[in-house]
Amino acid sequence: MGRLVLNQLSRSFKNVSAVKNISLTVEDGDFLVLLGPSGCGKTTLLRMIAGLLEPTSGSLELDGTDITTAPSKKRDLAMVFQSYALYPHLSVAKNLAFPLHVRRTDKQEVKKRVGAVAEMVEIGHLLDRKPKELSGGQRQRVAVARALVREPKAFLMDEPLSNLDAKLRTATRQELAGLHKRLGATFIYVTHDQVEAMTMATKIALLNGGQLEQLGTPEELYDKPASVFAAGFLGSPATNLIDAELSTSNGSITVMAPSVEAVLWDGQTPQRDVVLGIRPEHLSIHAPGSSAAAPSSGAALRGIVDLAENLGSEQVIYCRVGGNRVAVRTPRGQHWEPGNAVVLSADAKNLHLFD
Ligand code: ADP
Ligand code: MG
């Protein structure tokens, strides 16, 4: 559909710098998720892309054409709003036809396009209903279909699932991901929800304080977080972060921290003071002295159990390790009590070191 290039895009409001120097490219067919905590600039960035807000500096290019100052109408981008903004008194068919009537499209053509789009998003059986006779997920599909009849170059969405309950959110998320696959269209989608980002995105732009913190596939962000912020934002519970110090001996690097034993690291890093990151699902928990407690290459942390939280299918054990609180995800069935002394171990390949 379109290739969108953001070039050092910035936007300030009086003394607030909402978006700072963001450069990235959205390729044809991407599902790009703008992810980050509340206030990090996601909506501001999306509104600049939509043409609803002018950048303070930087430029935007769509299919090779500069659109930095082009009005919203001229961009052929479809903003799908959170409320879906369907006309309540019109049937689904009339809602879909509306954007075409506005453009004075020929009657036969309208009928054809509405039929084709309804089939694409599987709402052909709902055409005679009014919006209030639809479920939240169906309304979402109608909203997407109404954007689709205009044949936009991309779909823009700002937290479209945030008003739905948990069950409907999951269903609609899967529906949107399926829709993206079927249509092969470009989506730019704003959310603060890491699960939405991980499950739908082909590419995630992680924002922090108006800046682009990391850009990559969901796997890249999860497996190779580029910063303490990225490691801490993705994952549940968040990645454990432990202050550590490096020392070199025999060509391998050892990470030293209070209550950390025998952390061996083969990677290269010039920094002495580091932060060691380990995801809760990459730690295993053992009784001190058991043979599994000391990996030949990796980390072994000495700790005391603080709290065991039962999540139904698994449990999260929170331990005190030196001055840090470290979470471990384990299967149920292992019994650990507060006060138990334990050793937590992780493989070297699952250790992340940050400056
Ligand atoms: P997000 O969508 O990630 O929650 P926003 O883009 O809405 O973040 O906001 C980013 C920052 O810009 C926030 O500090 C917000 O208060 C500020 N901001 C956004 N819009 C305006 C505005 N119209 N006037 C003043 N400040 C704004
Ligand atoms: Mg927002």
Side-chain angles (χ1 to χ4, degrees):
M1 279 200 192
R3 181 173 198 260
L4 179 71
V5 180
L6 279 58
N7 215 330
Q8 301 202 298
L9 218 52
S10 297
R11 171 72 202 208
S12 308
F13 299 101
K14 291 188 187 116
N15 53 358
V16 179
S17 187
V19 167
K20 301 172 192 165
N21 257 315
I22 292 191
S23 298
L24 60 87
T25 299
V26 190
E27 300 289 351
D28 191 21
D30 269 348
F31 196 124
L32 173 75
V33 170
L34 305 177
L35 176 69
S38 173
C40 72
K42 305 180 295 293
T43 295
T44 303
L45 187 58
L46 193 73
R47 295 188 68 211
M48 287 194 281
I49 293 170
L52 300 170
L53 193 65
E54 257 191 50
T56 311
S57 63
S59 63
L60 276 158
E61 217 177 78
L62 184 59
D63 288 334
T65 306
D66 189 299
I67 55 158
T68 313
T69 55
S72 187
K73 276 193 294 208
K74 293 269 164 71
R75 296 191 185 198
D76 276 347
L77 302 172
M79 188 92 172
V80 181
F81 289 96
Q82 197 178 72
S83 58
Y84 311 139
L86 299 174
Y87 300 108
H89 57 288
L90 296 182
S91 67
V92 168
K94 287 192 169 138
N95 262 286
L96 297 188
F98 195 85
L100 298 175
H101 288 315
V102 171
R103 294 181 174 194
R104 300 178 193 284
T105 309
D106 166 89
K107 243 188 182 165
Q108 281 305 311
E109 177 70 14
V110 169
K111 208 168 167 207
K112 207 175 93 197
R113 295 246 299 259
V114 167
V117 160
E119 196 155 307
M120 247 188 270
V121 302
E122 295 173 350
I123 52 167
H125 58 299
L126 304 173
L127 287 174
D128 295 329
R129 296 209 196 159
K130 297 271 172 64
K132 68 170 189 298
E133 297 161 339
L134 303 174
S135 73
Q138 289 169 333
R139 250 176 256 166
Q140 169 102 42
R141 267 190 276 168
V142 174
V144 170
R146 192 178 56 177
L148 202 59
V149 292
R150 291 168 35 204
E151 300 177 341
K153 290 196 161 143
F155 293 93
L156 312 183
M157 302 186 180
D158 193 347
E159 313 239 14
L161 309 186
S162 59
N163 286 342
L164 307 181
D165 65 44
K167 200 170 153 199
L168 195 53
R169 206 156 54 224
T170 306
T172 313
R173 189 177 81 209
Q174 290 167 355
E175 215 164 80
L176 271 177
L179 201 60
H180 169 251
K181 279 213 186 79
R182 268 208 310 286
L183 300 175
T186 307
F187 283 67
I188 304 176
Y189 184 103
V190 163
T191 185
H192 66 275
D193 183 321
Q194 54 163 320
V195 178
E196 287 179 24
M198 289 300 288
T199 52
M200 292 192 289
T202 58
K203 230 188 231 175
I204 296 175
L206 181 64
L207 305 186
N208 179 22
Q211 277 168 318
L212 182 60
E213 187 82 19
Q214 189 170 0
L215 177 70
T217 64
E219 292 72 26
E220 282 164 349
L221 265 82
Y222 184 82
D223 294 336
K224 298 190 187 80
S227 60
V228 167
F229 177 84
F233 196 81
L234 287 164
S236 171
T239 301
N240 299 299
L241 298 167
I242 300 158
D243 292 324
E245 218 176 82
L246 299 181
S247 72
T248 313
S249 64
N250 303 333
S252 68
I253 298 166
T254 305
V255 181
M256 310 288 292
S259 299
V260 176
E261 303 179 339
V263 178
L264 296 175
W265 179 259
D266 303 323
Q268 292 289 317
T269 168
Q271 216 67 21
R272 233 187 102 71
D273 292 321
V274 294
V275 173
L276 172 63
I278 314 175
R279 294 205 181 274
E281 57 274 39
H282 290 152
L283 280 164
S284 54
I285 183 165
H286 313 276
S290 79
S291 57
S296 56
S297 166
L301 320 178
R302 271 177 287 128
I304 304 285
V305 173
D306 222 7
L307 175 75
E309 202 172 53
N310 181 356
L311 300 182
S313 59
E314 55 177 4
Q315 56 182 343
V316 178
I317 316 286
Y318 293 91
C319 303
R320 268 177 289 126
V321 173
N324 302 283
R325 197 163 200 238
V326 172
V328 187
R329 278 179 96 120
T330 67
R332 272 178 65 194
Q334 295 186 5
H335 290 289
W336 300 102
E337 300 286 337
N340 285 166
V342 290
V343 173
L344 312 177
S345 56
D347 240 41
K349 69 172 195 308
N350 291 324
L351 305 182
H352 304 281
L353 284 189
F354 304 103
D355 292 349

